[in-house]
Amino acid sequence: MAAPSRHAFCLHPILLGVPPDIRAASGRTKVQSLSRLARQAAQASARKTLGQPLSAFPKDDDGVPLPVDGMHWSISHKSALVAGMVARHPIGIDVEFRRPVKTGMHTRIATSKEWRLGQAVEVDAALPTPPPAALFYRFWTAKEAVLKAVGQGLVGLYNCRITALPSPARMNIVYHATHWQVAQLWYGDHLVAV
């Protein structure tokens, strides 16, 4: 059996800015255009990961991405930024635009224990305490990326728990006894989680 290539475990998330004509669109036309652009990002990721594009982007009846020839894929899009990624194992990618969040959403996205953990780690890291919205989006994107990787919708949110924040760009999560490591990157006012 041949040893896997050095690229076998590399992740190649691709981010693409949304052109002005798509940003200006609305409704279904905009959503379809953003989805196509996110798939272009996933194709670029496939070319970096596999050396060739994916043949299709199938989904099951619930809209969950299905593997293609053993390759897993994930996309995400916002009005100004899209992301796509392909990997040899289950993966998830999420992009969110940071904007003010109603306080009631904080209790939906994380437990009080998770909030304390996040705030303590940020303070211990000798960084200024982030505004609640910044920590909210770290939690949201990390959990959403894990839920996408397991093919679960937001119904699985309550089974997704943050266990550690080793750095401002990393987060550890447990989902049904499986441990996940999430990498995060601020790109302007957008947060990307893989």
Side-chain angles (χ1 to χ4, degrees):
M1 178 175 193
S5 74
R6 68 179 188 86
H7 297 290
F9 303 108
C10 291
L11 296 178
H12 299 283
I14 302 293
L15 307 178
L16 298 175
V18 177
D21 60 322
I22 296 175
R23 287 187 196 192
S26 62
R28 186 171 177 85
T29 300
K30 183 173 188 171
V31 171
Q32 289 174 336
S33 296
L34 290 170
S35 183
R36 274 193 301 275
L37 190 58
R39 281 169 172 71
Q40 288 175 14
Q43 288 292 27
S45 176
R47 283 189 291 276
K48 285 186 168 277
T49 304
L50 303 170
Q52 64 186 26
L54 290 183
S55 59
F57 290 96
K59 292 184 175 183
D60 70 13
D61 292 340
D62 295 323
V64 176
L66 296 171
V68 178
D69 298 325
M71 297 303 295
H72 299 263
W73 62 278
S74 183
I75 62 171
S76 185
H77 49 79
K78 291 295 170 224
S79 291
L81 187 70
V82 301
M85 186 169 58
V86 171
R88 298 178 191 282
H89 50 79
I91 44 91
I93 192 166
D94 190 46
V95 175
E96 292 296 334
F97 176 72
R98 182 170 60 178
R99 60 190 178 279
V101 179
K102 293 181 181 180
T103 307
M105 289 295 292
H106 291 144
T107 57
R108 290 189 67 205
I109 195 64
T111 66
S112 56
K113 181 179 178 181
E114 290 171 306
W115 282 107
R116 285 190 304 274
L117 175 67
Q119 291 164 347
V121 169
E122 297 289 341
V123 170
D124 286 349
L127 297 171
T129 302
L135 195 52
F136 172 87
Y137 282 108
R138 284 200 66 202
F139 288 175
W140 177 265
T141 59
K143 288 184 177 190
E144 181 73 13
V146 169
L147 292 173
K148 285 181 175 185
V150 298
Q152 188 62 239
L154 290 178
V155 70
L157 190 62
Y158 296 105
N159 295 312
C160 202
R161 293 291 172 234
I162 296 158
T163 59
L165 287 85
S167 79
R170 300 266 186 236
M171 193 171 291
N172 297 342
I173 292 181
V174 171
Y175 180 78
H176 284 300
T178 301
H179 295 265
W180 294 84
Q181 292 183 346
V182 179
Q184 295 176 307
L185 168 73
W186 282 103
Y187 189 82
D189 282 334
H190 289 81
L191 182 60
V192 181
V194 175

